[in-house]
């Protein structure tokens, strides 16, 4: 990595989750080394000072983290390039991804971290403990009306993913309660593995048969619009061009039956949400396993992407 492309966190050699005290300690250490009076380089000292002034101020750090999440600070994972099959038609994900030369392509294999943790790779963006954690965050209380019902259905989604998807794909990471990069709304859940990322929202509807036409769910003459995920999927795809990003809305039934309600998918009309799948709980589990496992290097944990999700979008 060149000095000009180093992030403020890398300049101070701290993780993106560093506390104010850790940043101060790191700054004093780096300043002593870089100061011209101590034989250091003036340009390096300016970089250290700039990094400290940004990260020690909560508002400036928050703004910097948002730009870091958008990938504008430039980082180099140090991994080699490899070409894989192109994403589905209509996706703007790049067909060129990064993976370690030794990565295996089986979703059930132990996770491979990119860049790897170990001596000679500098200070990691996240600690190994954080990167190894499969579930990050919990549904967040927001708003006044309907908050309890929303949290309950989000918790059902978390439990379902934790029990039926994460054990099958050890490299999968579930991040809950993120802020949308497209607007001030929230992303209930993000499921990330290898070079594929799924945004997940939820609904709670009575059991029965519903027809999905690409825009609304229709049941007994009643039309129900699902959560609007399409624009968030497009925004996340722009932020992470190396990933294949999709959206999923899981429809839970009050009784907890994973196969209810029944959702019939009719031919989608023009302007339908082609990037978002509308499924019941069983369909979500089945679909997400297939989506994540069929991607390139599904047992890879991209530490840079995970750090940007955890730090830059909260």
């Amino acid at each position: 990595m060149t000095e000009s492309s180093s992030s403020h966190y890398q300049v101070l050699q701290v993780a993106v989750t560093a506390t104010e005290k850790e940043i101060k300690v790191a700054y004093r250490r780096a300043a002593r080394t870089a100061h011209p009076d101590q034989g250091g380089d003036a340009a390096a000292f300016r970089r250290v000072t700039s990094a400290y002034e940004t990260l020690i101020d909560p508002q400036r750090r928050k703004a910097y983290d948002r730009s870091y999440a958008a990938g504008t600070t430039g980082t180099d994972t140090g991994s080699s390039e490899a070409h894989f099959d192109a994403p589905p038609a209509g996706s703007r994900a790049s067909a060129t991804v990064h993976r370690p030369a030794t990565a295996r392509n089986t979703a059930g294999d132990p996770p491979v971290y990119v860049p790897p943790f170990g001596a000679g790779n500098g200070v990691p963006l996240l600690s190994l403990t954080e990167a190894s954690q499969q579930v990050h965050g919990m549904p967040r209380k927001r708003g006044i009306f309907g908050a309890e019902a929303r949290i309950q259905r989000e918790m059902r989604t978390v439990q379902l993913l934790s029990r039926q998807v994460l054990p099958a794909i050890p490299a999968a990471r579930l991040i809950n309660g993120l802020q949308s990069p497209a607007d001030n709304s929230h992303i209930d859940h993000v499921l990330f593995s290898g070079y594929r990322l799924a945004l997940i929202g939820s609904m709670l509807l009575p059991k029965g048969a519903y027809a999905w036409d690409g825009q609304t769910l229709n049941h007994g003459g009643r039309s129900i619009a699902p959560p609007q995920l399409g624009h968030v999927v497009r925004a996340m795809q722009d932020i992470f061009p190396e990933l294949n990003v999709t959206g999923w809305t899981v429809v839970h039934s009050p009784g907890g039956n994973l196969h209810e309600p029944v959702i019939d998918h009719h031919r989608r009309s023009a302007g339908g949400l082609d990037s978002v799948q509308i499924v019941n709980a069983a369909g979500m589990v089945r679909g997400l396993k297939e989506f994540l496992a069929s991607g390139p290097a599904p047992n890879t944990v991209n530490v840079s992407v995970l750090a940007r999700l955890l730090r830059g979008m909260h």
Side-chain angles (χ1 to χ4, degrees):
M1 177 180 294
T2 62
E3 291 181 342
S4 61
S5 66
S6 298
S7 72
H8 288 334
Y9 294 101
Q10 291 161 320
V11 168
L12 294 183
Q13 297 189 29
V14 295
V16 294
T17 53
T19 63
E20 179 180 328
K21 180 178 180 181
E22 290 170 335
I23 290 172
K24 288 181 178 179
V25 171
Y27 169 68
R28 288 194 291 268
R29 180 177 61 245
R32 283 196 298 268
T33 302
H35 200 286
D37 292 345
Q38 302 297 325
D41 177 69
F45 183 71
R46 286 194 296 271
R47 285 193 296 272
V48 168
T49 302
S50 177
Y52 173 73
E53 290 175 347
T54 298
L55 299 184
I56 202 62
D57 183 283
Q59 294 302 318
R60 291 180 63 182
R61 182 179 183 181
K62 182 177 181 180
Y64 177 78
D65 286 340
R66 293 289 291 178
S67 68
Y68 184 72
T72 57
T73 59
T75 58
D76 179 9
T77 62
S79 58
S80 59
E81 285 193 352
H83 292 270
F84 296 93
D85 56 309
S91 171
R92 284 175 284 178
S94 170
T96 301
V97 297
H98 298 277
R99 59 170 288 189
T102 57
R104 293 170 290 177
N105 291 323
T106 301
D109 285 335
V112 173
Y113 297 93
V114 178
F117 290 89
N121 292 316
V123 176
L125 295 171
L126 294 172
S127 69
L128 179 57
T129 299
E130 291 172 303
S132 301
Q133 187 176 330
Q134 280 200 283
V135 181
H136 298 265
M138 295 298 290
R140 299 184 177 192
K141 184 176 182 179
R142 56 182 187 272
I144 300 175
F145 301 105
E148 183 176 349
R150 178 189 55 76
I151 291 175
Q152 287 180 356
R153 71 171 185 264
E154 288 186 22
M155 283 302 303
R156 287 175 63 173
T157 304
V158 171
Q159 293 171 357
L160 193 62
L161 295 172
S162 299
R163 294 171 182 174
Q164 299 204 32
V165 177
L166 297 185
I169 307 177
R173 299 294 180 262
L174 174 61
I175 304 100
N176 303 296
L178 303 186
Q179 183 174 343
S180 166
D183 49 36
N184 291 324
S185 63
H186 291 76
I187 305 173
D188 295 342
H189 320 280
V190 169
L191 189 60
F192 164 58
S193 180
Y195 297 92
R196 294 195 165 185
L197 187 147
L199 312 182
I200 306 167
S202 61
M203 301 176 71
L204 179 63
L205 296 177
K207 65 180 181 179
Y210 292 79
W212 167 244
D213 63 8
Q215 293 180 317
T216 58
L217 283 165
N218 300 289
H219 173 69
R222 179 187 178 194
S223 296
I224 306 165
Q228 299 302 304
L229 279 179
H231 69 293
V232 184
V233 170
R234 291 189 290 272
M236 292 290 278
Q237 186 67 83
D238 289 339
I239 290 174
F240 298 106
E242 71 273 29
L243 304 181
N244 184 350
V245 182
T246 60
W248 300 71
T249 295
V250 55
V251 183
H252 294 290
S253 69
N257 188 329
L258 303 186
H259 300 278
E260 293 178 345
V262 175
I263 302 174
D264 296 322
H265 293 75
H266 293 177
R267 184 176 180 179
R268 293 181 174 181
S269 60
L273 304 178
D274 293 336
S275 60
V276 180
Q277 301 287 330
I278 308 295
V279 291
N280 57 29
M284 181 191 68
V285 170
R286 181 175 60 253
L288 285 176
K289 282 183 178 180
E290 181 180 353
F291 172 67
L292 297 178
S294 61
N299 64 315
T300 297
V301 178
N302 188 313
V303 179
S304 175
V305 172
L306 181 59
R308 286 158 65 184
L309 287 170
L310 293 180
R311 183 63 202 173
M313 297 184 187
H314 274 248

